Amino acid sequence: MAELRGRTKQEPPESTAGEPPNLLPVTGTDTLTTPTRNPTSKKLSLLPLIFLIYFEVAGGPYGEEPAVKAAGPLLAILGFLIFPFIWSVPEALITAELSTAYPGNGGFVIWAHRAFGPFCGSLMGTWKFLSGVINVAAFPVLCIDYLEKLFPVFDSGLPRKLAILISTLFLSFVNYTGLTIVGYAAVGLGVVSLLPFIIMSLIAIPQIHPHRWGSLGQQGVKKDWNLFFNTLFWNLNFWDNVSTLAGEVEKPQKTFPVALFSAVILTCLAYIVPLLAVTGAVSVDQSEWETGFMANAAQMISGKWLKIWIEIGAVLSAIGLYEAQLSSSAYQLQGMADLGFLPKFFALRSKWFDTPWVGILLSTAITLGVSYMTFTDIISSANFLYSLGMLLEFASFVWLRRKYPTMKRPYRVPMRLPGLVIMCLIPSGFLIFIMVIATKIVYLVSGLMTVGAIGWYFLIKFCRSRKLLEFNNGDENEDEEG
């Protein structure tokens, strides 16, 4: 992780030999303000950005419990210790390099386009957008799952459906009020939702029996590798989502590497410390490690007051996760419209709050459409589409290094090309494994969405050629075909 801090200072301009004219504008930066952005609106500073990244990825140890249920305490602990180094750190390093090289709201869409052309850019945008909004749908569900422990009326039926609908609409309205507000709200939500876990971990110290950490689970309980790996993946992915906010960040070339490094440390500690405390201090049947068990564990360790605090913290964490990831999805659409991948109206911003209201509205509508799936199907579908996008992202990263080796990169991962290939191959193997163990319903949903993504690209191309809709930079977008 130290590499992430390696080069944050602005370097002298490097040779740009071999780098073609910038066919894609870098949206929302200090040097080029897009027509959709109010130049007087505030940009994100370091601290709000750290917590937005934290909520893009984790939001606290809520949701890590199924890893223990699936494979036992030892493998869960090892998973949350090792997985960040083979997945989270490489993804964060790639995001730091490419977000500072291309600091615009298009994020990973720009990277794929510059590497392989507009078809791959469009496909990347669709995969990542759909995985993002499907993932967002999990958070109102997670929020209601915790609330039902305090208010059983939300367990099923009409009250549960209404609670999901109302909470989704309310949280989307909060997002509409502005990214700066969302950023500072994320700081407050992060502190309040993490504090009960810090207290629980401290109180648990005298009750810890270290030998419990070595348990591989109860005898006779079959390992559920699908649940285990999907839980790890879902809890530690989406580091690159913040790249779609690069145009809204103050001095992104300097701020992004520091923010990503800080968020990696915060996220890893937020998962592993409570997990060590609870698995060491509490002995229960393995089947009880469902989502939400941390609250029950807090009651066993300290009392009902801490359980209630953690349940409230879970609701606050779900709010932070929803706001951060909805922001990324909405600003991604705005960035894609600025770059000509989507019709110009997708880039429209609110006159009052300078937020991309079309992106927020569309993201909310899709989120509501999938929010009534089961929690497991939601995260599995999001993981599959995200895996497809990440394989393309790793390929784009390596190819851009090969294609434009001398391009100016304010932050550069300190490895040569062979080392970068190895760094990307390890997590790529895991991505393929996640896709192989997916269920039939996930294959069906992801397959239909991919076919739709390909059809969407050719539909947009047809509309642009016939001038049926108005686009930004439409002609430029076609110049790099192939």
Side-chain angles (χ1 to χ4, degrees):
M1 283 180 286
E3 292 94 336
L4 200 54
R5 295 183 294 181
R7 287 179 52 181
T8 57
K9 292 185 178 180
Q10 189 75 15
E11 298 180 358
E14 300 178 43
S15 167
T16 56
E19 170 73 352
N22 193 359
L23 299 178
L24 284 174
V26 180
T27 65
T29 66
D30 294 333
T31 56
L32 178 61
T33 302
T34 65
T36 59
R37 193 180 199 283
N38 182 352
T40 63
S41 60
K42 292 183 179 180
K43 289 195 171 187
L44 284 170
S45 57
L46 178 61
L47 185 62
L49 182 60
I50 290 171
F51 277 88
L52 276 175
I53 296 172
Y54 170 67
F55 276 113
E56 293 277 10
V57 178
Y62 309 100
E64 69 176 340
E65 302 98 329
V68 180
K69 178 183 179 181
L74 178 61
L75 292 179
I77 291 168
L78 290 176
F80 280 100
L81 279 174
I82 297 171
F83 194 69
F85 292 95
I86 64 173
W87 173 257
S88 299
V89 172
E91 190 181 3
L93 287 169
I94 290 169
T95 302
E97 176 169 321
L98 295 180
S99 292
T100 55
Y102 300 102
N105 289 349
F108 34 70
V109 178
I110 302 175
W111 313 341
H113 178 282
R114 295 304 298 268
F116 302 119
F119 174 75
C120 287
S122 176
L123 195 60
M124 172 76 89
T126 306
W127 276 338
K128 288 298 188 81
F129 173 73
L130 290 173
S131 69
V133 294
I134 290 173
N135 195 55
V136 166
F139 303 124
V141 174
L142 190 62
C143 181
I144 302 304
D145 283 346
Y146 272 92
L147 275 179
E148 75 181 38
K149 298 180 187 300
L150 294 174
F151 307 103
V153 69
F154 295 132
D155 180 57
S156 61
L158 184 60
R160 180 179 178 84
K161 292 180 179 179
L162 286 176
I164 291 173
L165 174 64
I166 293 170
S167 61
T168 299
L169 294 176
F170 173 74
L171 294 177
S172 295
F173 176 77
V174 172
N175 200 274
Y176 172 70
T177 61
L179 190 58
T180 303
I181 293 173
V182 170
Y184 280 104
V187 176
L189 291 170
V191 171
V192 174
S193 62
L194 276 176
L195 195 55
F197 288 100
I198 296 172
I199 293 171
M200 180 184 70
S201 300
L202 291 173
I203 295 174
I205 291 174
Q207 306 174 43
I208 290 175
H209 298 276
H211 72 272
R212 291 174 178 166
W213 295 333
S215 172
L216 289 170
Q218 292 174 305
Q219 289 186 351
V221 178
K222 188 178 179 180
K223 301 284 190 294
D224 187 343
W225 298 116
N226 192 333
L227 177 61
F228 177 72
F229 285 110
N230 268 297
T231 299
L232 287 178
F233 190 50
W234 185 72
N235 278 283
L236 288 164
N237 65 8
F238 291 99
W239 291 95
D240 60 334
N241 272 15
V242 74
S243 67
T244 64
L245 305 178
E248 312 301 312
V249 174
E250 184 179 326
K251 299 179 181 177
Q253 288 88 348
K254 294 182 178 181
T255 305
F256 255 90
V258 177
L260 280 161
F261 169 77
S262 303
V264 166
I265 296 295
L266 177 61
T267 299
C268 292
L269 289 176
Y271 278 126
I272 197 62
V273 172
L275 184 60
L276 286 169
V278 175
T279 54
V282 173
S283 179
V284 297
D285 191 276
Q286 191 173 330
S287 63
E288 292 188 32
W289 281 85
E290 299 276 359
T291 299
F293 175 73
M294 283 289 183
N296 295 331
Q299 183 173 2
M300 297 175 194
I301 291 169
S302 181
K304 192 168 183 179
W305 66 273
L306 191 56
K307 175 187 179 182
I308 293 173
W309 191 355
I310 284 183
E311 287 170 344
I312 293 172
V315 175
L316 297 178
S317 175
I319 291 172
L321 287 159
Y322 185 94
E323 298 298 352
Q325 297 197 19
L326 181 65
S327 294
S328 289
S329 297
Y331 279 94
Q332 179 194 332
L333 292 183
Q334 180 252 304
M336 289 179 71
D338 283 338
L339 300 170
F341 285 101
L342 292 174
K344 196 171 182 179
F345 68 82
F346 279 93
L348 292 175
R349 290 190 183 231
S350 164
K351 294 180 181 179
W352 296 284
F353 302 110
D354 197 37
T355 46
W357 66 269
V358 176
I360 292 172
L361 185 63
L362 180 60
S363 300
T364 302
I366 297 174
T367 294
L368 282 171
V370 300
S371 62
Y372 298 104
M373 294 168 61
T374 67
F375 185 78
T376 301
D377 283 342
I378 287 174
I379 64 172
S380 296
S381 298
N383 284 350
F384 195 98
L385 290 170
Y386 187 77
S387 296
L388 291 171
M390 282 307 304
L391 288 172
L392 180 55
E393 185 173 312
F394 287 143
S396 300
F397 172 66
V398 172
W399 192 249
L400 284 170
R401 271 292 192 97
R402 183 183 182 278
K403 192 176 182 182
Y404 309 127
T406 58
M407 184 183 73
K408 181 177 175 61
R409 293 171 169 87
Y411 171 80
R412 181 190 292 266
V413 179
M415 294 182 189
R416 295 184 180 275
L417 193 61
L420 296 177
V421 171
I422 293 171
M423 183 185 81
C424 294
L425 278 177
I426 296 172
S428 293
F430 180 77
L431 290 172
I432 293 170
F433 177 74
I434 285 290
M435 294 165 68
V436 167
I437 64 174
T439 61
K440 291 180 181 179
I441 185 67
V442 172
Y443 278 120
L444 178 62
V445 171
S446 302
L448 289 174
M449 288 185 173
T450 299
V451 171
I454 295 170
W456 176 260
Y457 169 76
F458 287 105
L459 176 63
I460 290 295
K461 189 174 182 179
F462 174 79
C463 291
R464 183 187 291 115
S465 65
R466 296 298 179 92
K467 297 183 179 179
L468 300 177
L469 297 169
E470 189 176 359
F471 291 84
N472 285 319
N473 310 306
D475 293 333
E476 293 174 351
N477 232 351
E478 296 299 315
D479 290 343
E480 275 195 344
E481 182 68 49

